[in-house]
Amino acid sequence: MTRIVVHPAQSPLRGSVPVPSDKSIGHRALLFGALGNGVSHIRDFSRGEDNLSTAAALRALGIRIDDISPSEVRVYGKGIFGLEAPTASLDCGNSGTTMRLICGVLAAQPFSSVLVGDASLTKRPMNRIAEPLRRRGALIQGAPHPKKAGEITAPLHIQGLPDGMSLTGLEFESPVSSAQVKSAILLSGLYAHGTTHVREPYVSRDHSERMLQAMGAPIRTMGTIVEIEPAGWDGKLGVLDLDLPGDISAAAFLLAAGTIVEGSQVTVRFVGTNPTRTGILDMLRDMGAGAHVEPLGERAGEPIANLAVSHGPLVGRLFGGEMVARAIDEVPILCALAARAKGTTTICDARELRVKESDRLATMAKVLRAFGVSCEEREDGLVIEGREGPLTACRVDCEHDHRIAMSAAVLALLADGPSVIDGAEVIATSFPKFVATLRALGQRVDVED
Ligand code: S3P
């Protein structure tokens, strides 16, 4: 167990820093590369633990993945029918994306497999993928969810399809905007005899659609509907040759710190600015701060930019609907911005946060209160009263959730003394150099094992 001690900012954050490459795109580059016909080259690959879970699972499915350098991997794709039966359970660690996307592929295989995860992943809901996949013929069993009757969770047992059986077409209206659900269904659709349509309430991150299209998959997007039409397709995916963009969900912590700590000026370089991910930039703007966006063209079929913020006053606002869907991983750090805003910030339509690595609405409510910030927890969001002056230094447990740990670290920069964050090793899930980056920006953070 690692704890970090974050000291109040004695000086502004100043500097220009990189962030790890986008975790969501990294998962997809590995998995889709494995299904491609030939060798995919992936540069600026982040070795966050979640991405490493995907790599390990693919290796266990017979895919060769070479580490060419600390930031480059080569994936030896064997085509969509090239995976081999694993000899043991596939460990997805803390990564919901690994489990849900790989499940979409494994559901169509002739061999059986078992997907397991850590304590957090073993509480996350899996009916959202199992149920639509079963509707198209997949044979998936989960463990009963420990708290929700009728829900299932990991381990997932996926039975190989009997000889001569294949998945069928599917019309699926997802009740939630979820790129993991959408991607699992689309991937299974590559193997189906029939058309796949997935519709979601708001467009969730569309990295799968962009990458599959670039690889020659029979995919089309029409507003909130995505279609896979395998008829007439030769079943072959091309290869990838990508420099991955920086992760806006990691950048968000630095942008928030730069906005709320007096005198700060922070630039984060080469960040992916896919419009399905930039809700946090809109939120910053609406709160009166705003990031300066310097567009730099595209990487891996995704727009990228340098993002610069400076300290400035914030005002509380109401956030919900599609803006929350486009900032689904940034709600915890939005809470830190809200803590410093003038007036009340109301976050609604954020029910999905209850089924992330932790129940992020409940966990953030606890963290905010520990720092002396008043907030009301609602079923689908939070109401946060901004506070002037120093926050209360405290000790918090991040409940095995990387984004809670980093949000607490940012709040701690405003506290009246050093704050302790327990369980901070989980930050390595997505941003292994987070502490080093805060230090590079002039802040004092001690790490204690
Ligand atoms: C992700 C999708 C989102 C997000 C997660 C990564 C992805 O989850 O919260 O961090 O890579 O597809 P949901 O699909 O559950 O919304």
Side-chain angles (χ1 to χ4, degrees):
M1 171 92 106
T2 301
R3 78 175 74 94
I4 59 173
V5 182
V6 183
H7 294 258
Q10 297 297 320
S11 56
L13 289 88
R14 288 279 167 97
S16 164
V17 287
V19 278
S21 64
D22 194 283
K23 182 159 82 72
S24 289
I25 304 176
H27 286 300
R28 288 159 173 81
L30 292 172
L31 175 57
F32 301 0
L35 304 178
N37 285 76
V39 184
S40 285
H41 297 252
I42 305 164
R43 292 172 294 276
D44 283 319
F45 175 69
S46 153
R47 292 188 186 277
E49 286 169 2
D50 271 8
N51 280 165
L52 296 180
S53 293
T54 293
L58 290 170
R59 285 184 172 122
L61 289 163
I63 297 297
R64 175 174 164 198
I65 301 177
D66 287 353
D67 295 309
I68 302 302
S69 75
S71 64
E72 183 175 354
V73 289
R74 241 170 241 171
V75 182
Y76 292 75
K78 290 164 66 176
I80 66 170
F81 292 105
L83 299 179
E84 288 165 22
T87 53
S89 302
L90 302 169
D91 187 356
C92 303
N94 191 247
S95 176
T97 309
T98 306
M99 183 166 284
R100 293 190 177 124
L101 267 60
I102 287 192
C103 183
V105 174
L106 293 178
Q109 303 299 323
F111 55 80
S112 300
S113 47
V114 181
L115 295 170
V116 298
D118 71 1
S120 150
L121 191 50
T122 304
K123 289 193 204 111
R124 298 185 67 185
M126 292 296 154
N127 264 343
R128 49 179 57 201
I129 50 162
E131 195 268 320
L133 288 170
R134 279 185 203 132
R135 259 198 255 162
R136 70 185 331 170
L139 304 164
I140 303 174
Q141 299 292 322
H145 193 281
K147 291 218 174 109
K148 291 176 204 144
E151 182 57 90
I152 61 162
T153 187
L156 293 181
H157 290 255
I158 306 159
Q159 209 179 304
L161 292 180
D163 252 6
M165 290 284 285
S166 54
L167 300 180
T168 60
L170 180 72
E171 294 282 328
F172 180 59
E173 175 119 20
S174 176
V176 288
S177 293
S178 161
Q180 293 177 359
V181 172
K182 175 174 63 176
S183 302
I185 305 298
L186 294 175
L187 286 165
S188 66
L190 294 175
Y191 297 84
H193 280 187
T195 311
T196 301
H197 284 125
V198 190
R199 183 204 285 269
E200 50 185 351
Y202 302 110
V203 180
S204 62
R205 61 193 68 192
D206 65 356
H207 308 302
S208 295
E209 294 91 303
R210 287 173 185 247
M211 202 179 283
L212 285 172
Q213 187 152 45
M215 297 175 85
I219 186 166
R220 260 199 321 160
T221 299
M222 298 149 282
T224 55
I225 304 176
V226 191
E227 176 190 84
I228 296 269
E229 176 53 282
W233 177 50
D234 66 1
K236 291 209 164 92
L237 293 176
V239 296
L240 298 165
D241 188 7
L242 305 176
D243 296 283
L244 300 181
D247 196 334
I248 192 165
S249 297
F253 299 103
L254 309 174
L255 299 176
T259 304
I260 61 181
V261 174
E262 215 165 310
S264 298
Q265 286 187 334
V266 174
T267 300
V268 190
R269 302 194 298 267
F270 304 116
V271 182
T273 50
N274 178 317
T276 60
R277 297 284 298 281
T278 49
I280 187 66
L281 300 183
D282 298 341
M283 289 165 166
L284 271 170
R285 183 202 56 214
D286 286 1
M287 294 176 91
H292 175 74
V293 180
E294 182 200 346
L296 297 169
E298 283 203 350
R299 264 192 191 180
E302 302 270 348
I304 59 160
N306 287 340
L307 302 177
V309 292
S310 42
H311 168 248
L314 295 169
V315 282
R317 290 279 182 231
L318 166 67
F319 296 115
E322 66 93 35
M323 206 192 281
V324 165
R326 292 193 302 114
I328 199 68
D329 289 341
E330 284 64 74
V331 173
I333 193 61
L334 171 65
C335 294
L337 293 169
R340 188 58 353 155
K342 189 172 163 54
T344 308
T345 297
T346 304
I347 303 166
C348 53
D349 302 324
R351 214 171 272 106
E352 271 296 291
L353 266 82
R354 295 208 179 272
V355 293
K356 297 290 178 190
E357 286 83 330
S358 69
D359 174 343
R360 287 184 173 158
L361 297 179
T363 324
M364 270 322 290
K366 265 190 244 166
V367 168
L368 286 166
R369 288 184 191 128
F371 279 102
V373 178
S374 318
C375 74
E376 179 200 332
E377 185 183 335
R378 292 184 177 167
E379 195 255 328
D380 73 335
L382 292 167
V383 181
I384 300 162
E385 301 302 331
R387 213 186 108 167
E388 281 178 51
L391 305 182
T392 313
C394 59
R395 179 169 193 160
V396 293
D397 179 355
C398 61
E399 305 201 7
H400 219 65
D401 188 329
H402 52 132
R403 300 203 199 279
I404 300 295
M406 290 185 275
S407 301
V410 171
L411 281 163
L413 297 174
L414 301 179
D416 54 7
S419 298
V420 179
I421 299 159
D422 287 318
E425 69 280 356
V426 74
I427 291 173
T429 298
S430 63
F431 198 165
K433 292 189 178 153
F434 175 70
V435 166
T437 307
L438 278 186
R439 287 178 180 155
L441 290 168
Q443 303 308 303
R444 181 166 166 213
V445 185
D446 304 326
V447 179
E448 296 171 2
D449 282 316

